[in-house]
């Protein structure tokens, strides 16, 4: 039996009511009482508070067959906004969503520096601009979550970002001195795994998401929580050694997986071979379409080393689902079957291996979703992403 003071019980009931309202989209007070097993008096009092706070709105159904038209309750998506930021090498992505997870605006800024102070100034400038532009709602920007491509401690201090060569940076504190909004830092792979969980794979308890872009990161959702490890550094799978005494890595070791199976290493290697500085996905797609043997051979090597890493991930974590986040895999014909063909160990067990349907937006979308979750103070979000229409629907469980 759950016990506690009146304020604690009220908080639990509030969370239960918000979850049910958002899950149903629209629901009447009477149906809300039945669905939550709370008394009508409790529902009336809580709904009155939520209406006064502007978190929910009332809508009268226009087309109702008989009797009195019911008053329906729904979450007020326009009551506030969540800001997700993907701080990557070479670019910073910003996405602002409403409280229902629907993106309102997105922007990508190219950067040609790794200097911390320059990037800090740019972040402050952009955040302040967005905060000013979206002050017309009740709560404004309710939270900011920044995805970091490196090690983030449990206290949200940046311990190390290999490609920026940042060590022990307190970005959160530096931003909080200038920004009067809740700010959170999280590893980018964790945010990608969170996006997969809340936008697509609602019923998955054990999910791994491997991001292969500027390095290789592994986000792990276990029973709706991040698996962080002792210090918060779990998931740095890109620095698993797959070639002893192999290529030197920024981490200090040699032969790390991300030197052989990340998109950045693939681009660097091919750019050097073709003597093209600004190599793009369009270049690679064109060469693949033409049947370029050299590019195809490099892709086969990419898949070979990736398969080694994936085999180790599967053996270590026995996931229900393993999601791969890579543009190259989407471009290369039959890449998933080729990888699966390499995972033929009788020890490796997983239910499904797939390429993400969200794509490179997974980090910023996961960041927005995490900001909403923290603001609403609910245990887990369910946000539905429709690929064809690029529309988002939401529910909380």
């Amino acid at each position: 039996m759950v016990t506690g003071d009146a304020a604690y019980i009220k908080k639990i009931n509030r969370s239960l009511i918000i979850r049910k309202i958002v899950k149903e989209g629209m629901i009447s007070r009477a149906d809300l009482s039945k669905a939550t097993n709370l008394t009508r008096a409790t529902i009336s009092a809580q709904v009155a508070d939520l209406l006064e706070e502007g978190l929910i709105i009332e809508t009268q159904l226009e087309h109702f067959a008989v009797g009195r038209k019911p008053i329906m309750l729904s979450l007020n998506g326009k009551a506030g906004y969540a800001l997700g930021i993907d701080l990557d090498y070479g670019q910073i992505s910003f996405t602002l969503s409403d409280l229902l997870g629907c993106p309102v605006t997105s922007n990508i800024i190219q950067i040609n520096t790794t200097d911390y102070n320059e990037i800090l100034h740019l972040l402050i400038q952009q955040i302040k601009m967005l905060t000013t532009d979206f002050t017309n709602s009740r709560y404004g920007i309710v939270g900011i979550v920044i995805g970091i491509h490196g090690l983030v401690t449990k206290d949200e201090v940046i311990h190390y970002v290999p490609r920026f060569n940042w060590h022990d940076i307190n970005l959160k504190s530096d931003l909080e001195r200038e920004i009067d909004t809740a700010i959170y830092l999280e590893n980018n792979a964790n945010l990608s795994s969170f996006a997969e969980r809340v936008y697509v794979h609602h019923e998955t308890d054990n999910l791994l998401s491997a991001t292969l872009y500027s390095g290789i990161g592994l986000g792990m959702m276990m029973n709706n929580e991040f698996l962080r490890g002792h210090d918060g550094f779990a998931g740095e799978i890109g620095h698993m050694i797959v070639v002893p005494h192999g290529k030197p890595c920024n981490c200090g070791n040699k032969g790390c997986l991300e030197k052989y199976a990340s998109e950045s290493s693939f681009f660097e290697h091919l750019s050097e071979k073709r003597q093209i500085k600004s190599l793009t996905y369009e270049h690679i797609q064109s060469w693949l379409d033409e049947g370029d043997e050299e590019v195809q051979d490099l892709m086969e090597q990419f898949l070979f080393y990736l398969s080694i890493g994936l085999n180790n991930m599967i053996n270590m974590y026995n996931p229900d689902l393993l999601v791969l986040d890579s543009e190259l895999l989407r471009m290369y014909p039959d890449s998933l079957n080729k990888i699966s063909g390499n995972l033929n160990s009788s020890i490796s067990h997983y239910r499904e291996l797939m390429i993400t349907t969200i794509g490179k937006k997974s980090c910023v979308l996961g960041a927005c979703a995490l900001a909403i979750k923290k603001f609403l103070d609910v245990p887990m979000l369910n946000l539905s992403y429709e690929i064809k229409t690029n529309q988002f629907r939401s529910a909380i469980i």
Side-chain angles (χ1 to χ4, degrees), residues 280-290 330-332:
T280 66
Y281 289 109
E282 287 73 21
H283 284 113
I284 296 171
Q285 185 66 71
S286 175
W287 292 326
L288 288 175
D289 292 342
E290 294 169 1
R330 269 188 287 272
M331 293 164 53
Y332 194 54

Side-chain angles (χ1 to χ4, degrees), residues 14-225:
R14 175 190 174 94
S15 178
L16 184 62
I17 288 168
I18 292 175
R19 285 186 304 184
K20 186 56 65 174
I21 289 174
V22 181
K23 181 179 180 181
E24 299 299 325
M26 298 180 72
I27 189 171
S28 68
R29 287 171 173 81
D31 288 339
L32 191 56
S33 177
K34 293 175 184 176
T36 59
N37 290 320
L38 296 174
T39 66
R40 293 199 175 196
T42 298
I43 294 295
S44 294
Q46 289 270 5
V47 165
D49 288 344
L50 292 170
L51 285 169
E52 184 177 352
E53 294 169 24
L55 277 178
I56 64 174
I57 55 176
E58 293 180 316
T59 305
Q60 190 171 55
L61 289 183
E62 295 297 327
H63 304 288
F64 200 68
V66 294
R68 186 176 173 184
K69 297 176 182 178
I71 303 296
M72 308 299 286
L73 305 171
S74 58
L75 187 71
N76 181 9
K78 303 305 178 186
Y81 302 94
L83 177 57
I85 301 174
D86 181 4
L87 177 54
D88 199 358
Y89 181 80
Q91 67 177 38
I92 308 176
S93 303
F94 300 82
T95 291
L96 199 76
S97 79
D98 64 19
L99 294 186
L100 292 171
C102 301
V104 175
T105 182
S106 294
N107 184 32
I108 297 177
I109 296 177
Q110 303 298 323
I111 54 175
N112 56 8
T113 180
T114 60
D115 181 78
Y116 173 70
N117 289 321
E118 289 183 41
I119 292 175
L120 173 64
H121 175 74
L122 178 59
L123 286 171
I124 292 171
Q125 182 183 52
Q126 291 297 312
I127 291 170
K128 284 185 174 181
M129 182 180 69
L130 287 167
T131 301
T132 301
D133 290 345
F134 289 89
T135 56
N136 58 338
S137 65
R138 175 72 175 265
Y139 294 99
I141 295 179
V142 302
I144 302 166
V145 176
I146 305 175
I148 305 297
H149 292 243
L151 302 179
V152 180
T153 71
K154 290 181 178 179
D155 297 327
E156 299 177 76
V157 173
I158 298 174
H159 178 63
Y160 179 49
V161 180
R163 300 202 75 188
F164 285 178
N165 198 28
W166 289 357
H167 297 266
D168 300 320
I169 298 290
N170 204 332
L171 174 62
K172 179 182 171 77
S173 293
D174 289 341
L175 287 173
E176 286 175 338
R177 281 193 284 269
E178 298 286 339
I179 308 296
D180 187 24
T181 305
I183 296 172
Y184 308 94
L185 266 60
E186 186 57 77
N187 173 267
N188 71 295
N190 280 348
L191 291 176
S192 291
S193 69
F194 191 67
E196 294 292 341
R197 169 59 184 82
V198 302
Y199 281 102
V200 184
H201 305 287
H202 300 159
E203 306 302 322
T204 302
D205 291 328
N206 298 299
L207 181 149
L208 302 183
S209 175
T211 58
L212 310 180
Y213 296 111
S214 59
I216 298 181
L218 184 67
M220 297 172 283
M221 293 293 300
M222 300 294 174
N223 297 319
N224 292 335
E225 299 289 344

